[in-house]
Amino acid sequence: MGGHDGRECRAAEPAAGRRGRVKGANAVMSGFSGKTQRGGGRRLGGGAAAVVLCLAWAAPGGGARPLAAQPPAGAAGIYGGIDLANIPTPLPAAPSPVAIAGSPSAYQGSVPAGEATSEVLQLSLGDALERGLRTNLGVIGKLLDSRVAEADRQRALANLLPQVSGRVSHQTLELDLVTFGFKIPGLPNIIGPFSYQDARLTATEQLVNFESLYKYRSARESARAADLSLAEARELVVVVVGGAYYQVVASAARVDTAHAQLKGSRSLEELAQNQLRSGLTAAIDTFRATVQRQTDEQRVAVYEAALEKDKLTLARLIGLPSGQRFAIATPVPYVPWSGPSEEQALQTAYASRSDLKSAEAALAAAELAKRAAAAERLPSLAVSGDYGRVGKTLGSTDGTYTLAAGITLPLYEGGRIRSEVTRAEATLERRRAEYADLKGRVDYEVRTNFLDLRAAETSVEVAKKNVDLAEQTLAQAQDRFANGVTNNVEVVLAEQALAAAHENYIASLFSHSFTKLALLRAMGQVEQGVKQFLSEQAPGGRQ
């Protein structure tokens, strides 16, 4: 909508000539709630969040669309076809899934799995989350990082364990006594050729090596940090996929509502034409109704295209095969927050956040890496030995062995050890600062999400009352126009006010539901809490 000015967007808003249009539109929007409004068909009820949860998130138009429910506080202009200056209730804040993901490019790709079928897949929220956790590129990347970290741990451990090797050899050679400093008169300088066979086992062991010990312990902490990063990646995928699922739900509702508005605008145009033929109204009312009907036809086409793009986005996130058709199968009703209080949520976050635990493990790994660098100055003790059988052939051999022990002490390394210690100290300070920042960020995220949650709850209540008042205003305007008391300007303005009220209610519902999702992520409980606090559908479950 960025390319339209205020007049164009206001002209694109729905107008209605009959109350039947309001009945049709609201019946579509409240199909999940089953609530009926006397004299006005169905009205937008609490269960309508299943269809309208994130319409504001998916406002169609040119260019990239943000994932947040609405622009920042204080922003002005046109949003989703509505003049924000005319919306009586301020749109609540809602965090963006992209902002939460941090690196969206890593989490907005996937590895498609399976082959597309001709059937329409009934995709529940649980199915979408299960597929996303299995095929999303962000999770796959963290899984591979975890495997690499485990390989580094095993390599560090190998330096502490005995190294045993076996060798069987056959040698044929000649010796020149001159190379050994012998020159005996009367004896040839060359001895041989002769041959022998040797079968031997060799073992080495680092008895005391503090550098290798600290490196192993550091690698172990790094591997634990990688595992915890994988758990954090799973939570981010739940947030991103869940938000994309709500976007498709909302876009589908927007298409249904646009069809209902188009039906109403056609009725308004027909009524205006009939009144013009009867001499009860001016031709300008007919022109206004025709423009409104054509605008609604355009809106239907735009919203249908937006729905298909949103479905492609969701399919891309969860690895659906190309061309697979699907339909949304999980309602997302309005459910008040029933989770822990703010202080309880903070304690849960400190105990459960995987990224906080990962940062703590990375800090411990950095401390051990510094000790390993400093330990290069210490002496190390190693033993080695071998035992073998040597003879003309392996059938007739004699036993031989070697046993050695040695202490190694670096005396001069040209500043290499000092530079390694300096590098390790810098890395340690960085990890310490990151850990302290993350602890503060956990507190910030939990508290701000509770503020957004309270604002969204209030906004839902106020926006719902505004919808009721706007419906009553529209009903009176329709009666006045039908009875010839006024022209259809009142109807158009009342329709715009009702559309703005619905858009505000939609944004409030999205903000409330998505803020709960973001709060669960801030607590480190999003995978477990989706079923209990948000969607009544657990990740991986089936409806």
Side-chain angles (χ1 to χ4, degrees):
M1 298 288 181
H4 296 72
D5 62 19
R7 292 191 304 268
E8 290 172 329
C9 289
R10 283 193 291 273
E13 285 308 306
R18 295 182 179 177
R19 190 174 303 162
R21 175 185 178 185
V22 180
K23 293 180 182 179
N26 285 330
V28 172
M29 299 293 288
S30 61
F32 291 102
S33 66
K35 295 182 181 179
T36 304
Q37 178 186 2
R38 257 183 313 187
R42 295 187 183 273
R43 68 182 177 86
L44 192 63
V51 249
V52 298
L53 183 58
C54 56
L55 286 179
W57 184 17
R65 291 178 288 120
L67 293 177
Q70 70 289 310
I78 303 301
Y79 182 75
I82 304 298
D83 189 346
L84 296 181
N86 294 331
I87 298 180
T89 306
L91 292 176
S96 162
V98 166
I100 287 181
S103 300
S105 59
Y107 292 90
Q108 297 200 11
S110 64
V111 179
E115 297 292 336
T117 64
S118 58
E119 299 179 357
V120 177
L121 176 65
Q122 297 299 313
L123 186 67
S124 69
L125 178 59
D127 292 331
L129 294 177
E130 180 184 19
R131 289 174 179 270
L133 292 172
R134 189 174 65 249
T135 65
N136 188 271
L137 194 60
V139 171
I140 292 175
K142 290 297 182 181
L143 178 61
L144 296 177
D145 290 343
S146 178
R147 290 173 59 185
V148 170
E150 176 61 19
D152 291 339
R153 185 196 68 82
Q154 293 177 356
R155 183 175 59 183
L157 176 61
N159 293 330
L160 295 175
L161 298 178
Q163 308 294 308
V164 180
S165 61
R167 178 173 61 90
V168 177
S169 64
H170 174 88
Q171 296 192 39
T172 300
L173 67 159
E174 290 182 340
L175 295 179
D176 189 344
L177 293 180
V178 176
T179 61
F180 295 95
F182 296 108
K183 187 172 181 62
I184 303 175
L187 292 179
N189 291 335
I190 302 300
I191 300 176
F194 60 92
S195 61
Y196 68 94
Q197 295 178 347
D198 187 359
R200 189 167 302 277
L201 289 177
T202 302
T204 60
E205 167 66 358
Q206 297 278 346
L207 293 181
V208 179
N209 191 321
F210 293 102
E211 178 191 0
S212 296
L213 177 62
Y214 285 130
K215 282 186 175 180
Y216 164 69
R217 293 173 59 185
S218 176
R220 184 177 60 186
E221 291 298 321
S222 296
R224 190 167 73 90
D227 290 339
L228 292 168
S229 294
L230 174 60
E232 170 68 6
R234 292 177 62 88
E235 298 219 332
L236 291 177
V237 167
V238 171
V239 172
V240 174
V241 172
Y245 190 92
Y246 301 152
Q247 182 170 344
V248 175
V249 171
S251 296
R254 191 180 288 254
V255 169
D256 292 340
T257 305
H259 278 288
Q261 291 173 343
L262 176 59
K263 182 178 180 180
S265 63
R266 287 171 176 168
S267 299
L268 177 62
E269 182 183 30
E270 181 181 354
L271 177 60
Q273 291 173 348
N274 291 337
Q275 290 187 344
L276 177 63
R277 285 192 291 268
S278 302
L280 300 177
T281 188
I284 190 173
D285 286 336
T286 304
F287 301 154
R288 188 183 296 115
T290 300
V291 169
Q292 187 60 55
R293 188 259 305 163
Q294 293 173 345
T295 301
D296 288 341
E297 289 176 346
Q298 180 184 12
R299 178 180 289 105
V300 167
V302 171
Y303 286 176
E304 286 178 344
L307 172 60
E308 294 304 315
K309 289 196 294 184
D310 292 337
K311 293 175 76 172
L312 289 174
T313 299
L314 177 59
R316 183 80 180 91
L317 290 174
I318 63 177
L320 284 179
S322 301
Q324 176 64 59
R325 296 181 302 160
F326 68 90
I328 294 300
T330 297
V332 187
Y334 171 73
V335 180
W337 174 251
S338 59
S341 64
E342 183 173 321
E343 293 304 320
Q344 292 173 333
L346 281 171
Q347 296 302 318
T348 301
Y350 288 132
S352 303
R353 283 279 292 253
S354 297
D355 55 346
L356 188 61
K357 294 179 181 179
S358 177
E360 185 178 10
L363 176 60
E367 290 176 344
L368 292 167
K370 177 188 173 183
R371 292 187 183 183
E376 291 189 53
R377 297 191 177 102
L378 301 177
S380 61
L381 172 61
V383 297
S384 63
D386 65 72
Y387 177 81
R389 305 291 297 186
V390 181
K392 183 69 174 178
T393 64
L394 292 180
S396 58
T397 58
D398 296 316
T400 62
Y401 68 90
T402 302
L403 181 61
I407 296 178
T408 302
L409 177 63
L411 297 178
Y412 178 72
E413 294 286 341
R416 181 188 62 82
I417 296 178
R418 184 173 64 252
S419 67
E420 294 292 338
V421 172
T422 301
R423 178 187 294 271
E425 287 176 344
T427 302
L428 175 59
E429 290 303 317
R430 182 188 299 274
R431 296 292 177 264
R432 185 175 289 119
E434 290 173 349
Y435 179 67
D437 172 72
L438 186 55
K439 288 187 67 175
R441 180 146 50 94
V442 168
D443 181 272
Y444 171 82
E445 289 178 356
V446 171
R447 294 186 187 278
T448 55
N449 276 296
F450 265 100
L451 291 172
D452 290 340
L453 186 63
R454 286 191 285 268
E457 288 174 347
T458 302
S459 183
V460 169
E461 296 174 0
V462 175
K464 187 174 182 181
K465 294 176 183 178
N466 284 345
V467 169
D468 294 337
L469 292 175
E471 286 178 343
Q472 296 175 27
T473 302
L474 177 60
Q476 293 186 17
Q478 290 169 338
D479 289 340
R480 287 165 58 84
F481 177 63
N483 294 323
V485 177
T486 184
N487 56 26
N488 64 359
V489 171
E490 286 188 9
V491 179
V492 172
L493 293 178
E495 267 295 325
Q496 291 181 351
L498 179 59
H502 277 169
E503 190 71 22
N504 191 290
Y505 186 48
I506 290 165
S508 300
L509 288 174
F510 168 80
S511 177
H512 182 264
S513 295
F514 186 79
T515 300
K516 287 194 297 181
L517 185 66
L519 177 57
L520 289 171
R521 187 261 169 182
M523 293 168 52
Q525 297 286 314
V526 67
E527 265 199 90
Q528 303 90 330
V530 166
K531 178 180 180 181
Q532 183 177 2
F533 300 120
L534 191 63
S535 68
E536 304 302 324
Q537 184 78 29
R542 295 185 179 275
Q543 191 179 14

